[in-house]
Structure formats: structure tokens, C-alpha cells
Amino acid sequence: MIAEVSLSPETPVVVHIAGKRYAIGDKEEFFYRRLALQQARQRLQAAATTCRGGHGRARKLALLESFEKKEHHCVHHKLHLYSRRLIDLCLQHHAATILLVGQEEKEAAAREDRFLLRNWSYYALKEKIAYKAKRVGITVLSE
């Protein structure tokens, strides 16, 4: 059995398997948290200029660096969740192959849109799907 998977920013993972359509995640869930962390980081960056001096640059920017890590961890946590749900669906329906459908057009469109290029972690999601599928013996093909 083949699971046809479409990755997009509107609905991160859409799976067509056994005549049924499953949507994993949504745009608001993914982008809302990421954009909120980016805005908080920007506020901290602006506030760091008026922060009291002394004791070096590292102390002044320590909180700013922690927000970079928070965004990274939040995004990768969501991507792990989405890829895990996809693999679980494939195992539940005994799918031996995951076929990524229509990804070249979406990649080309994402390259032109700076917002998507900055905020949509497309490649990381593909990597997580590939390594989790390999662990359970599912092949991943791209169309």
C-alpha cells in the first residue's frame, strides 16, 4: 500500500491512504508559536541596547541567545510530532511506501516567498520523515 503525502505550510502534512484523507497539524498551530518567539526575541534585542552596562557583552545578550534556542526547540518538537503521526498512520494502515506528491512546485514557490523560506521548515520535516520511515522499514519516494 502507498501513502501519498503532501507537505505544505497551510496544513503541514496531508496524507491520502486507503481512500481516506488525514490532515496532521495546521498553519496556526505551527506559525503562531514560531512568530511569537521571533517577536519576543526582537523585543529583547531592542531592549538590550538600553540595558545597564558593565560585566560584558555575554551577560547582556544571554537571554537573547536563549530565545534563539527556544524557537529552534519548539519548531523541531512540532516537526517530530508531525513526522511521528505520519509514520504511525502508515504503520496502522500497513503502508510500505510514502510518496511525497507535488513537492517541486511547492519548493519553487517557497524559494520566491521570503516569509515561507524563513518560517517553514520544509527540509527538516522531510529529513525527519525519511529517518523515521527508514527505522521502521518504509521507503520514501519523492515525485
Side-chain angles (χ1 to χ4, degrees), residues 48-66:
T49 60
T50 60
C51 197
R52 66 184 173 94
H55 302 292
R57 181 180 183 275
R59 182 199 57 80
K60 201 173 200 181
L61 300 178
L63 191 58
L64 189 63
E65 290 174 9
S66 75

Side-chain angles (χ1 to χ4, degrees), residues 100-112:
L100 298 174
V101 180
Q103 297 309 305
E104 291 180 14
E105 302 101 28
K106 291 177 184 174
E107 286 178 25
R111 280 188 211 108
E112 294 175 9

Side-chain angles (χ1 to χ4, degrees), residues 120-136:
W120 173 233
S121 304
Y122 173 76
Y123 185 73
L125 181 57
K126 279 176 54 175
E127 279 186 334
K128 286 174 184 17
I129 290 171
Y131 97 79
K132 287 179 183 177
K134 186 178 179 182
R135 285 175 62 187
V136 294

Side-chain angles (χ1 to χ4, degrees), residues 13 15 17 24 80-95 98 128-138 140:
V13 181
V15 186
I17 188 169
I24 301 172
H80 273 295
L81 264 166
Y82 297 158
S83 60
R84 181 76 251 163
R85 288 180 189 163
L86 171 63
I87 298 301
D88 288 344
L89 274 172
C90 291
L91 291 175
Q92 180 182 355
H93 291 284
H94 306 291
I98 294 175
K128 286 174 184 17
I129 290 171
Y131 97 79
K132 287 179 183 177
K134 186 178 179 182
R135 285 175 62 187
V136 294
I138 298 174
V140 178

